[in-house]
Amino acid sequence: MIYLGSDHAGFGLKQAVIRHLDASGKEYTDLGNTELNPTDDYPDYAFAVGEAVVQNPGSFGVLVCGSAQGVCIAANKVKGIRAVTALSHEEAIKTREHNNANIVCLSGWNTGEDDAFAIVDTFLATPFTDDGRHARRIEKIAAYENHG
């Protein structure tokens, strides 16, 4: 399952990603903003997507705000989330292979639709490279998150 969320600055790009997912036949749930609202707050959607991803192991999230940074910061406050801002197809690959990221964050201001589609498709299709060094690093992050 793919969970999506955006604020007003990311709303247009999120809607384009939804159309792309529809065309690709991928299953998703839009957790908002479901209509353009210039007074919304990005943390609300980042927390909702983060919680949904944590509660549904194996799922992914796509978040969009103006810069991508706000939703990324907020989502990473949810225990178990490894949200990343991917600016390219190549970064989407590495964030999945090396970091086992479970949410990708996009910039509504700076990411074109075609680039967003490539980033999302790559992010969703790329498996975690579960070799020793990458798994060890993810375990260290989880241990710190669980025990400080």
Side-chain angles (χ1 to χ4, degrees), residues 49-83:
V49 168
E51 291 291 339
V53 169
V54 167
Q55 292 169 6
N56 296 281
S59 65
F60 294 100
V62 177
L63 287 166
V64 192
C65 72
S67 67
Q69 305 307 328
V71 288
C72 192
I73 291 167
N76 277 312
K77 300 302 180 188
V78 177
K79 184 177 176 181
I81 291 302
R82 290 173 306 283

Side-chain angles (χ1 to χ4, degrees), residues 90-131:
E90 293 79 13
E91 286 184 1
I93 292 170
K94 294 301 182 193
T95 62
R96 285 290 305 132
E97 286 181 345
H98 293 199
N99 310 118
N100 200 17
N102 49 16
I103 294 179
V104 65
C105 303
L106 304 172
S107 169
W109 295 333
N110 300 310
T111 306
E113 290 183 7
D114 289 339
D115 288 337
F117 303 158
I119 291 166
V120 168
D121 288 347
T122 299
F123 185 85
L124 296 173
T126 304
F128 175 52
T129 304
D130 193 13
D131 73 14

